[in-house]
Amino acid sequence: MPSLSLTAKAQNWPLAKPFRISRGVKTAADTVIAELSDGTHIGRGECTPYPRYGESVESVLEQLETVAKHPDSLADAGALQTALPPGAARNALDCAFHDFTAKQTGTPVADRISIALSPVETAFTLSLDTPDIMFEAARAASHRPVLKIKLGGDGDADRLEAVRRGSPDAKLIVDANEGWTSDQWDDHLTACINAKVGLIEQPLPAGDDDALLEIKSPIPLCADESIHTRQELAHVAARYDAVNVKLDKTGGLTEAIALCEEAREHGLIIMVGCMVASSLAMAPALMIAQGAEWVDLDGPLLLAEDCDHALTFDGSTIHPADRALWG
C-alpha cells in the first residue's frame, strides 16, 4: 500500500425543512468529509458528529488531524481500527479507506466483502410535531411503504393516532429517542398497539435499559443509543429484540459488518440506520442494508440539496451507488 495522505473538511447541508426529535430541532446537517489520497486515487467518507455522544465537528476534525500526522495509522484497515475509537471520526476514515482501496485496485467494495448489491426500501422519517402537523405530513407521505415516526413523551398517543389516520397502510417504526420513561410504558405501548406499529426504537434512556428486563412487549424493541459496537451486544441482547446499526456509532463499515454478523448469531433483528447526511454517508451503509429487516437511510431525502453523484431514490427505493460517489 502506497503512503497515504489524509485531509478532512467540514460540510454544512441545509435541510429542506426543520427536523425535530425529542432532544431538539435542527435546520442543517453538519458533517465531516475525510479524503485519503496516494496522489492518484482519492477515497472519501462522510460522518455526522453527534452531540449526544460528545462529538462536534471541531472534535472530529481534531481527531482526524491527529491521525493525519501519523501516516502509519493509515497503513492498512487494521491500523485504522486502532487509530481512533468507535465514533464519527473513525467512520469517515474507515469508509474513505474502503473507497480508496476500491478505486486503487479497481475492485468494488461489494465484491471485496462478498455482498451482492440490490435496491433496498428505506423508511421515511416524520419529524416530531403537533398531531395536526404530523397528520398532514403522514398524508403527504402516504405513498411510502414505511414511515418512521419521531416521538418524545406527552401527547405521543395523539400523534400516533394522527399519523395512522394520515397514512393508514404504511408500516410504522416509532422512535422515542430515549424520550419515554418506564412509568409511562403501558400508555405508550397501548398507543403503539392501536396504531399497529411494527417496531419501537429506543423507548427509554440508555441508562434505564434494565427496566426492559421486566417489560413485555408484543412489538419488537430496537436498541439505538444503547448499542454502538459488539462490546454492548450481550447486554443489549437480553433487553431488546433488534439493534439499529449506524456507521457513525460503530466507527465505520468494518465494525458494522462484524456487529451485524454477531447480532444475527444472538437472534436479533437488524435495522440499518443513519444520521442526517448526504448520499456519501449512505452509500457504505447500503452494504449492510442488504438483507436487513428494517432500513432507515433516508438522510438525503431530508436535505435541500444532495452531493454530486447522489444516490438514486425511486420513491422509497434506494439504488446502489454510482462508483463515482463511493465504493
Side-chain angles (χ1 to χ4, degrees):
M1 178 68 69
S3 177
L4 300 180
S5 62
L6 168 64
T7 58
K9 63 179 181 180
Q11 180 72 54
N12 179 269
W13 304 98
L15 303 188
K17 58 183 179 181
F19 184 75
R20 182 177 290 106
I21 66 171
S22 62
R23 295 189 193 96
V25 62
K26 64 191 304 181
T27 58
D30 292 306
T31 71
V32 172
I33 296 174
E35 293 189 350
L36 284 173
S37 176
D38 63 355
T40 302
H41 308 93
I42 297 175
R44 301 165 68 236
E46 181 181 38
C47 69
T48 303
Y50 198 28
R52 166 65 178 81
Y53 303 137
E55 298 173 335
S56 66
V57 168
E58 292 75 20
S59 71
V60 167
L61 287 172
E62 183 177 349
Q63 285 181 291
L64 293 173
E65 287 167 5
T66 299
V67 172
K69 296 174 183 176
H70 299 86
D72 55 317
S73 299
L74 309 174
D76 54 49
L80 294 184
Q81 299 308 300
T82 58
L84 291 168
R90 196 177 80 185
N91 175 33
L93 184 56
D94 183 68
C95 291
F97 191 85
H98 278 286
D99 186 40
F100 169 81
T101 303
K103 289 180 168 59
Q104 193 265 337
T105 64
T107 303
V109 174
D111 291 350
R112 285 195 299 107
I113 61 178
S114 301
I115 290 179
L117 284 178
S118 299
V120 299
E121 182 179 87
T122 181
F124 180 76
T125 306
L126 302 186
S127 176
L128 174 68
D129 218 311
T130 65
D132 287 345
I133 291 175
M134 293 187 76
F135 166 77
E136 293 298 339
R139 186 166 66 172
S142 61
H143 62 290
R144 296 186 181 275
V146 185
L147 296 179
K148 177 171 171 174
I149 316 305
K150 291 291 188 179
L151 297 179
D154 293 340
D156 281 350
D158 292 335
R159 293 184 180 100
L160 259 179
E161 187 274 333
V163 167
R164 181 47 86 194
R165 281 191 293 110
S167 187
D169 299 322
K171 297 177 184 177
L172 297 184
I173 303 167
V174 157
D175 185 6
N177 282 117
E178 305 180 282
W180 294 350
T181 59
S182 55
D183 61 339
Q184 302 168 325
W185 175 253
D186 289 342
D187 291 339
H188 287 311
L189 180 60
T190 297
C192 287
I193 292 171
N194 290 340
K196 297 183 172 65
V197 168
L199 189 72
I200 299 174
E201 190 179 345
Q202 198 66 44
L204 306 179
D208 293 343
D209 280 346
D210 284 351
L212 298 178
L213 293 169
E214 307 299 325
I215 285 175
K216 304 299 181 184
S217 173
I219 301 171
L221 304 181
C222 180
D224 182 4
E225 285 85 350
S226 290
I227 188 161
H228 295 247
T229 68
R230 288 168 288 171
Q231 184 175 352
E232 300 93 6
L233 194 52
H235 175 87
V236 163
R239 294 158 176 79
Y240 292 90
D241 309 289
V243 290
N244 187 343
V245 181
K246 294 178 179 175
L247 273 61
D248 276 314
K249 295 188 301 178
T250 65
L253 180 59
T254 301
E255 172 63 23
I257 292 170
L259 174 57
C260 286
E261 290 175 353
E262 289 198 17
R264 289 190 175 96
E265 291 174 2
H266 281 79
L268 291 165
I269 296 166
I270 302 297
M271 177 181 185
V272 175
C274 69
M275 307 300 188
V276 182
S278 80
S279 285
L280 178 59
M282 304 303 124
L286 282 175
M287 302 287 142
I288 56 169
Q290 306 298 314
E293 288 85 350
W294 298 88
V295 176
D296 176 29
L297 297 178
D298 65 339
L301 296 178
L302 306 178
L303 303 180
E305 185 175 352
D306 202 353
C307 63
D308 293 338
H309 309 291
L311 291 169
T312 297
F313 286 81
D314 180 11
S316 291
T317 299
I318 315 175
H319 293 270
D322 185 315
R323 291 191 63 191
L325 172 66
W326 186 89

